[in-house]
Amino acid sequence: CDSCETQCESSTADQKTPKKAKRIVAVFSGKGGTGKSVITCLLADLLQRMGNRVAVLDADLENPSIHYLYGTVEPAEADGDRLVPMTAESGVVFLSMGNVEKDAGQPLLSYGKDIAEGALYFYLNVKWPEDLDFMLIDMPSGIGDVPLQLGTIIPFDGAVCVSNPSDLCDFLVKKSVGLMKMIMIPVLGVVENKAWIEAGEGHILLGTDPAEHAAAIGVPLLAVVPHSLELSVMADFGRISDAEVPELKSVAELLAK
């Protein structure tokens, strides 16, 4: 590339991409259904309550959910040729494909590379506030075009993995952790979500021991979050900002260091 004058993707990937926040964190998983988007919103709200200015970018253009979790499904307005992000009740600003598409019930038919470029457009061209302390990017599950392209262009400061403590998640999450390491994004650790339920005065683990599962993945265990009916109801009704999940407080504090 050093001796080539052609402006191909390989030559442009290393060019300086502007930082839209002081710290940019990817929230990712190798498998769908782990509760990654819920964890993204919960961490964003915690950081906002700590006095930070926080944004969430929903990079899962094919299956957006951040707008639904925050209970804001209205279309985003434009300022000139730039979209203006929505604001949740917690003060977090966000943008999701659900605030852009005309018919949420219709699939987004496009090739992976085009979807990745659409997610990058959200990062570069949305009118994000200029005083952001944090931007959490809710990555689509897996190791496809979107996490690969965003991960090699956006200047991430770190990544948080979300998993469920099960053998099914094990090898899929290992792949996504491996991708992050290959593209030089530090993986801070894993949040084991939906890991236990209350049972009388104790609790029952739902699957593998979270510490053992984190060790098998090869990253530190950041938090163990229970499977909560109350949290599920709040998510379904777009009231995720009302939820309190104390298990995630230490994760937010780690990000804020």
Side-chain angles (χ1 to χ4, degrees), residues 109-193:
L109 300 179
S110 187
Y111 290 106
K113 181 182 177 182
D114 295 331
I115 293 173
E117 290 178 352
L120 186 61
Y121 179 89
F122 271 18
Y123 176 79
L124 291 172
N125 297 300
V126 168
K127 194 174 181 180
W128 299 107
E130 296 182 356
D131 60 344
L132 288 175
D133 296 300
F134 286 92
M135 177 179 283
L136 304 188
I137 299 184
D138 182 24
M139 305 284 269
S141 301
I143 54 174
D145 289 326
V146 178
L148 178 59
Q149 186 160 333
L150 295 188
T152 53
I153 296 177
I154 294 175
F156 284 102
D157 295 285
V160 172
C161 179
V162 179
S163 182
N164 303 141
S166 70
D167 293 338
L168 179 59
C169 282
D170 194 345
F171 74 97
L172 295 172
V173 172
K174 276 184 180 179
K175 287 185 176 183
S176 59
V177 169
L179 171 64
M180 291 294 161
K181 292 181 177 179
M182 289 175 68
I183 58 179
M184 310 293 283
I185 299 177
V187 179
L188 303 176
V190 61
V191 173
E192 295 286 2
N193 192 31

Side-chain angles (χ1 to χ4, degrees), residues 43-54:
L43 286 174
D45 289 338
L46 281 168
L47 288 166
Q48 184 79 20
R49 294 188 195 111
M50 292 165 62
N52 299 290
R53 189 85 163 101
V54 184

Side-chain angles (χ1 to χ4, degrees), residues 52-250:
N52 299 290
R53 189 85 163 101
V54 184
V56 173
L57 190 163
D58 189 349
D60 194 347
L61 271 59
E62 294 176 286
N63 299 290
S65 58
I66 296 296
H67 68 298
Y68 193 89
L69 294 170
Y70 277 133
T72 307
V73 297
E74 296 82 7
E77 296 181 355
D79 183 357
D81 60 352
R82 301 175 69 192
L83 291 173
V84 178
M86 316 299 285
T87 302
E89 288 188 7
S90 61
V92 170
V93 295
F94 69 93
L95 192 67
S96 170
M97 191 63 182
N99 302 115
V100 177
E101 58 190 357
K102 293 182 179 180
D103 188 348
Q106 293 297 315
L108 177 62
L109 300 179
S110 187
Y111 290 106
K113 181 182 177 182
D114 295 331
I115 293 173
E117 290 178 352
L120 186 61
Y121 179 89
F122 271 18
Y123 176 79
L124 291 172
N125 297 300
V126 168
K127 194 174 181 180
W128 299 107
E130 296 182 356
D131 60 344
L132 288 175
D133 296 300
F134 286 92
M135 177 179 283
L136 304 188
I137 299 184
D138 182 24
M139 305 284 269
S141 301
I143 54 174
D145 289 326
V146 178
L148 178 59
Q149 186 160 333
L150 295 188
T152 53
I153 296 177
I154 294 175
F156 284 102
D157 295 285
V160 172
C161 179
V162 179
S163 182
N164 303 141
S166 70
D167 293 338
L168 179 59
C169 282
D170 194 345
F171 74 97
L172 295 172
V173 172
K174 276 184 180 179
K175 287 185 176 183
S176 59
V177 169
L179 171 64
M180 291 294 161
K181 292 181 177 179
M182 289 175 68
I183 58 179
M184 310 293 283
I185 299 177
V187 179
L188 303 176
V190 61
V191 173
E192 295 286 2
N193 192 31
K194 297 186 258 187
W196 56 272
I197 56 173
E198 294 183 354
E201 296 181 358
H203 63 271
I204 298 175
L205 286 176
L206 300 176
T208 311
D209 178 85
E212 294 179 3
H213 191 244
I217 296 171
V219 295
L221 177 62
L222 297 178
V224 181
V225 179
H227 196 309
S228 166
L229 176 60
E230 181 181 7
L231 181 59
S232 297
V233 171
M234 287 182 177
D236 280 346
F237 282 88
R239 305 295 304 177
I240 197 67
S241 293
D242 293 337
E244 294 186 9
V245 182
E247 291 84 0
L248 289 174
K249 184 179 179 182
S250 61

